Amino acid sequence: MKYLLQIDFPYSGPFGDQFFESMKELAEDIANENGLVYKLWTENEATQEAGGIYVFDNLEDANRYLEKHTQRLTSFGFTDIKSKVFILNEALSAITKASL
């Protein structure tokens, strides 16, 4: 069973290539998280938001990472952090072309 973690928060930039450059080191660190299958990075300059969609192979690591990343974002000065954890329905997701 896999779990999806969704995190988003108000973010005023940078976006695009500058976002990549400013977050590359963080991305390399996140890539080593226990239980992480993958992360999709999200950004929306029009609504001034950023965040991510994470897939974990167990609930414990998803919850542990949520706590860790929320503390990290708070230490960076971000507020109004929103998060949700879902169980992935892998059978239906496979029909709709998900790579899990």
Side-chain angles (χ1 to χ4, degrees), residues 39-54:
K39 174 185 180 178
L40 300 172
W41 289 72
T42 58
E43 57 180 295
N44 188 326
E45 189 170 3
T47 61
Q48 298 284 286
E49 295 176 282
I53 304 294
Y54 307 74

Side-chain angles (χ1 to χ4, degrees), residues 9-64:
F9 51 93
Y11 180 75
S12 58
F15 295 94
D17 291 341
Q18 291 177 327
F19 185 57
F20 170 80
E21 290 300 327
S22 67
M23 298 296 172
K24 184 178 179 200
E25 190 174 307
L26 179 58
E28 291 167 347
D29 181 65
I30 291 171
N32 294 313
E33 287 294 329
N34 289 336
L36 180 69
V37 177
Y38 62 82
K39 174 185 180 178
L40 300 172
W41 289 72
T42 58
E43 57 180 295
N44 188 326
E45 189 170 3
T47 61
Q48 298 284 286
E49 295 176 282
I53 304 294
Y54 307 74
V55 174
F56 283 88
D57 61 16
N58 66 80
L59 182 58
E60 295 76 22
D61 283 330
N63 284 327
R64 177 198 46 76

Side-chain angles (χ1 to χ4, degrees), residues 7-13 15 44 47-51 73 76-82:
I7 300 175
D8 59 79
F9 51 93
Y11 180 75
S12 58
F15 295 94
N44 188 326
T47 61
Q48 298 284 286
E49 295 176 282
L73 290 169
F76 292 163
F78 293 107
T79 59
D80 196 25
I81 301 162
K82 296 181 178 78

